């Protein structure tokens, strides 16, 4: 399992490995086999799967980051509806930080900063306990994210339109800690500065012991989508890289496990690769290459990968995809023939593309190494997300990080669709390589119906507010997906995740309506004067779309040997 000798041998044998300075260095493990807990009814990770009482636990889930902002009767209604939709895990924000004095309902926030002093708010933690109690009654598990990478500054106009608790990035997060302790400091101090790390651990010390014995807790999530860069994309020291995030994850997850050995720890990272990068937590050396043959770890769909994902593997997959798309376009009904009888590609059809880059989702552009994180001994499952309206994953020849310039929809939709399926395939292979369960913690695609509500995670404004009227509508229509394309994508990605063996499939995000209103409280629905859950461009309310995820839940239950309720 874990030994100093194996660790040393791995360091010497692998050219892509660097040592972690003491005391960060930990012994490597070759596989993830140990239970997190032996308590009845608790979820744990064992031999590459989630399990409960010795039985496999495959599931579908949903994101409802806003659940803590509701009144108790609306919380129970939401959980009832989630249960009816065959969803068994709910991912929530287990934090909300306010700065300065506030009139907000104390049950809607967990920390308060006043003049740089950090205070834990018991009423907010009690709200989380209530959610867990009600979830347990319904056989639902809650994944609690402990902070957020995205915490932009809200202007007065943005706060008036989107009050705290409405958008997922309005709960505080990494930047809040840094600015309260080191005003004007680089935001990556969150990962490296002793005072900031101590403040975060103070928060962990407040919430985790109170919930450590709760059966309905699925896992602790170290942070949502941790990266070097935050909302403004610039306030970093220049010294932050993928290893910075990995070291922080190792240190934080070890602290979490010391407070709660009963539950799993998940990184919460977006699943971005850093192919061919040096590793802090190396795998044992791969088997030697067969003379005259292909390397053992060349990854193609249907063939098991036995080592790290490499640049060569990604290029091989891109080449295979291009060939398949080329053949499909050539054989499509109505394909034109040239004067000489050969195929003549119309202007709008697939064109062969040759890029030197493998894409920012794989080449380390996002400064995250999901494989290195997956092999941290105190991380129990691998997480990944897919948001193609906000992040570019595969190579397109121009983007190094950030959203695709022409959007995920329109003429780019087919590329987006296949990029999602490839992303799922690669992560399934990664989980098999590390013998660790996979949790797709969030995926979403903006469609025409929600385009006017789309607020990217780093932003406080609806996308394209600088344009007006018909021009704005046309610009959005060129890059977002149609309703039917969104339905097709959600169906394809969910089916691919089920068939490939992804253990947990959690979509983003839950849509709810008919909340109660009580103006003596300050919940999301009351602030907005409407009885619906927040819409940041991803809210799911159409029955056809909901049925896709309901079916996914049913399939996952059958894989676990459980019947639907």
């Amino acid at each position: 399992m874990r030994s100093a000798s194996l660790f040393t041998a791995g360091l010497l044998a692998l050219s892509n490995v660097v040592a972690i300075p003491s005391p960060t260095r930990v012994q490597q493990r070759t596989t993830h086999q140990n239970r997190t807990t032996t308590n009845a009814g608790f979820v744990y990770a064992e031999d590459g799967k989630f399990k409960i009482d010795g039985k496999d636990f495959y599931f579908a889930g949903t994101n409802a980051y806003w659940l803590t902002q509701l009144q108790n009767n609306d919380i129970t209604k939401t959980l009832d509806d989630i249960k009816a939709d065959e969803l068994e895990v709910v991912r929530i924000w287990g934090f909300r930080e306010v700065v300065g004095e506030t009139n907000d309902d104390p049950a809607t926030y967990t920390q308060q900063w006043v003049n740089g002093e950090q205070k834990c708010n018991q009423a907010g933690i009690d709200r989380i306990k209530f959610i867990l109690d009600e979830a347990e009654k319904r056989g639902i598990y809650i994944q609690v994210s402990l902070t957020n990478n995205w915490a932009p500054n809200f202007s007065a106009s943005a706060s008036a339109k989107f009050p705290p608790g409405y958008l997922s990035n309005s709960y505080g997060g990494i930047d809040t800690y840094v600015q309260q302790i080191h005003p004007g400091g680089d935001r990556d101090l969150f990962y490296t500065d002793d005072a900031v790390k101590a403040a975060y651990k103070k928060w962990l010390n407040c919430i985790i012991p109170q919930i450590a014995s709760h059966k309905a807790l699925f896992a602790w999530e170290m942070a949502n989508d941790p990266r070097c860069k935050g909302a403004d994309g610039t306030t970093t020291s220049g010294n932050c890289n993928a290893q910075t995030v990995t070291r922080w994850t190792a240190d934080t997850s070890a602290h979490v496990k010391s407070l709660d050995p009963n539950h799993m720890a998940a990184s919460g990272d977006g699943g971005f690769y850093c192919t061919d990068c040096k590793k802090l937590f190396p795998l044992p050396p791969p088997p030697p290459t067969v003379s005259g043959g292909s390397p053992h770890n060349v990854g193609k769909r249907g063939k098991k990968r036995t080592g790290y994902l490499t640049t060569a593997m990604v290029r091989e997959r891109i080449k295979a995809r291009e060939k398949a798309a080329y053949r499909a376009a050539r054989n499509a009904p109505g394909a034109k023939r040239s004067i000489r009888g050969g195929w003549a590609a119309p202007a709008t059809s697939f064109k062969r593309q040759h890029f030197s880059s493998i894409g920012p989702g794989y080449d380390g552009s996002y400064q995250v190494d999901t494989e290195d994180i997956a092999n941290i001994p105190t991380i129990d499952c691998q997480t990944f997300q897919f948001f193609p309206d906000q992040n570019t994953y595969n190579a397109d020849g121009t983007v190094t990080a950030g959203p695709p310039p022409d959007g995920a929809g329109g003429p780019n939709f087919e590329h987006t669709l296949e990029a999602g399926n490839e992303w799922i395939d690669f992560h399934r292979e990664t989980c098999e390589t590390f013998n660790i369960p996979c949790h797709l913690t969030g995926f979403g695609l903006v469609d025409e119906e929600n385009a006017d509500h789309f607020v990217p995670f780093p932003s406080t404004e609806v996308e394209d507010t600088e344009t007006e009227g018909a021009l704005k509508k046309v610009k959005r229509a060129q890059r977002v997906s149609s309703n039917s394309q969104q339905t097709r994508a959600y169906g394809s990605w969910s089916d691919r995740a089920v068939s490939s063996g992804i253990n947990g499939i959690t979509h983003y995000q839950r849509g709810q309506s008919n909340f109660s209103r009580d103006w003596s409280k300050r919940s999301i629905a009351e602030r907005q004067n409407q009885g619906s859950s927040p819409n940041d461009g991803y809210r799911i309310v159409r029955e056809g779309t909901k049925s896709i995820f309901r079916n996914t839940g049913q399939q996952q239950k059958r894989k676990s040997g459980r019947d639907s309720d």
Side-chain angles (χ1 to χ4, degrees):
M1 288 289 294
R2 308 175 192 169
S3 69
S5 60
L6 277 178
F7 181 71
T8 304
L11 287 175
L12 295 174
L14 291 175
S15 61
N16 65 334
V17 172
V18 296
I20 309 173
S22 180
T24 310
R25 173 179 286 174
V26 299
Q27 295 175 344
Q28 86 170 58
R29 60 177 160 199
T30 57
T31 57
H32 293 244
Q33 294 178 344
N34 287 341
R35 292 188 178 201
T36 304
T37 180
T38 56
N39 294 340
F42 281 55
V43 185
Y44 58 91
E46 184 177 61
D47 199 21
K49 296 180 179 180
F50 296 123
K51 294 194 174 185
I52 303 174
D53 299 333
K55 298 179 180 179
D56 294 348
F57 181 53
Y58 291 89
F59 65 87
T62 186
N63 277 269
Y65 64 83
W66 38 263
L67 197 58
T68 58
Q69 304 299 290
L70 303 183
Q71 296 175 73
N72 288 352
N73 60 323
D74 290 327
I75 290 172
T76 56
K77 178 187 184 302
T78 300
L79 292 174
D80 284 339
D81 292 347
I82 288 172
K83 175 72 171 179
D85 281 340
E86 307 280 1
L87 305 174
E88 297 181 280
V89 172
V90 183
R91 184 169 174 258
I92 70 168
W93 281 185
F95 63 94
R96 183 177 158 236
E97 299 135 14
V98 298
V99 177
E101 301 298 333
T102 179
N103 293 322
D104 279 8
D105 177 0
T108 64
Y109 61 92
T110 58
Q111 283 195 100
Q112 186 173 15
W113 293 85
V114 179
N115 298 323
E117 183 180 356
Q118 177 187 15
K119 298 179 180 179
C120 189
N121 178 38
Q122 187 60 42
I125 295 176
D126 288 341
R127 173 61 59 78
I128 296 172
K129 290 180 181 179
F130 175 82
I131 291 172
L132 288 163
D133 288 343
E134 293 300 313
E136 184 176 0
K137 295 175 184 177
R138 294 160 176 80
I140 292 173
Y141 291 89
I142 305 295
Q143 177 150 320
V144 177
S145 190
L146 292 163
T147 194
N148 193 7
N149 186 72
W150 308 110
N153 290 322
F154 277 72
S155 64
S157 60
S159 295
K161 185 172 183 181
F162 301 115
Y166 187 84
L167 295 177
S168 66
N169 59 16
S170 64
Y171 288 63
I174 286 175
D175 296 271
T176 304
Y177 285 91
V178 173
Q179 294 309 311
Q180 288 302 304
I181 297 172
H182 298 296
D186 296 323
R187 61 105 56 187
D188 52 297
L189 287 172
F190 181 81
Y191 301 114
T192 59
D193 183 79
D194 288 341
V196 179
K197 291 193 294 182
Y200 188 57
K201 287 179 180 177
K202 181 180 178 181
W203 156 236
L204 302 181
N205 294 344
C206 176
I207 183 173
I208 291 176
Q210 297 192 54
I211 301 175
S213 62
H214 210 296
K215 187 183 297 186
L217 178 66
F218 179 79
W220 296 108
E221 187 176 288
M222 304 304 99
N224 171 59
D225 199 12
R227 310 184 193 184
C228 290
K229 295 182 179 180
D232 65 5
T234 58
T235 55
T236 58
S237 64
N239 297 319
C240 188
N241 55 36
Q243 291 182 5
T244 307
V245 178
T246 300
R247 283 192 179 96
W248 175 86
T249 304
D251 178 60
T252 304
S253 60
H255 186 73
V256 168
K257 296 292 255 186
S258 73
L259 297 172
D260 179 6
N262 296 318
H263 292 100
M264 297 182 294
S267 69
D269 72 273
F272 298 111
Y273 288 93
C274 195
T275 57
D276 305 330
C277 289
K278 294 180 179 180
K279 310 299 181 187
L280 301 179
F281 298 90
L283 284 169
T289 301
V290 177
S291 177
S294 299
H296 286 290
N297 62 351
V298 170
K300 294 183 180 180
R301 181 160 169 77
K303 295 185 178 181
K304 187 173 182 179
R305 171 160 56 92
T306 58
Y308 290 112
L309 184 66
T310 67
T311 298
M313 293 179 203
V314 179
R315 284 182 176 154
E316 185 70 23
R317 192 72 60 85
I318 291 172
K319 185 186 297 184
R321 169 167 45 85
E322 286 185 350
K323 288 181 179 179
Y326 184 84
R327 288 193 298 268
R330 182 173 184 173
N331 297 326
K336 294 182 179 180
R337 298 285 173 178
S338 67
I339 295 175
R340 295 183 178 180
W343 177 59
T348 57
S349 74
F350 169 81
K351 297 180 181 179
R352 288 180 182 266
Q353 302 182 59
H354 302 284
F355 304 131
S356 59
S357 170
I358 58 175
Y362 300 95
D363 65 11
S365 294
Y366 290 108
Q367 298 175 309
V368 174
D369 189 341
T370 194
E371 289 184 304
D372 208 11
I373 290 172
N375 209 37
I376 295 172
T378 44
I379 289 296
D380 297 291
C381 62
Q382 200 249 0
T383 63
F384 67 108
Q385 304 174 1
F386 189 68
F387 291 98
D389 294 283
Q390 304 197 49
N391 302 304
T392 301
Y393 294 85
N394 287 0
D396 79 342
T398 59
V399 178
T400 57
D406 297 323
N412 292 333
F413 172 74
E414 294 298 332
H415 176 83
T416 298
L417 182 69
E418 188 54 32
N421 285 327
E422 286 181 349
W423 193 243
I424 291 167
D425 289 344
F426 279 129
H427 282 280
R428 179 63 258 170
E429 293 164 6
T430 294
C431 290
E432 290 176 348
T433 297
F434 290 91
N435 198 31
I436 190 171
C438 267
H439 186 186
L440 174 53
T441 57
F443 62 101
L445 187 66
V446 179
D447 67 356
E448 295 166 340
E449 187 175 311
N450 285 305
D452 287 339
H453 301 279
F454 177 39
V455 182
F457 299 143
S459 179
T460 63
E461 301 287 347
V462 172
E463 185 78 343
D464 283 339
T465 51
E466 74 277 6
T467 60
E468 297 296 337
L471 177 60
K472 180 166 75 172
K473 296 288 187 183
V474 169
K475 189 174 180 182
R476 283 188 181 143
Q478 290 174 341
R479 68 167 187 270
V480 301
S481 301
S482 66
N483 297 354
S484 61
Q485 285 175 331
Q486 185 201 62
T487 299
R488 182 181 164 205
Y490 283 165
S492 177
W493 297 336
S494 297
D495 288 345
R496 187 68 148 253
V498 171
S499 64
S500 65
I502 300 297
N503 309 84
I505 306 166
T506 300
H507 64 264
Y508 184 92
Q509 62 154 315
R510 181 73 184 178
Q512 284 288 130
S513 59
N514 298 320
F515 290 150
S516 60
R517 302 173 186 173
D518 178 359
W519 286 93
S520 66
K521 304 291 184 181
R522 289 173 59 83
S523 69
I524 289 171
E526 293 145 5
R527 291 184 186 126
Q528 293 299 104
N529 194 22
Q530 62 183 17
S532 299
S533 59
N535 187 6
D536 57 0
Y538 294 101
R539 183 174 66 188
I540 295 170
V541 294
R542 288 198 307 270
E543 177 56 32
T545 308
K546 291 172 70 175
S547 68
I548 293 172
F549 301 120
R550 190 179 302 121
N551 180 61
T552 301
Q554 293 168 347
Q555 293 182 74
Q556 291 286 79
K557 284 184 176 181
R558 286 195 292 269
K559 287 184 67 173
S560 305
R562 295 174 289 123
D563 293 329
S564 296
D565 297 325

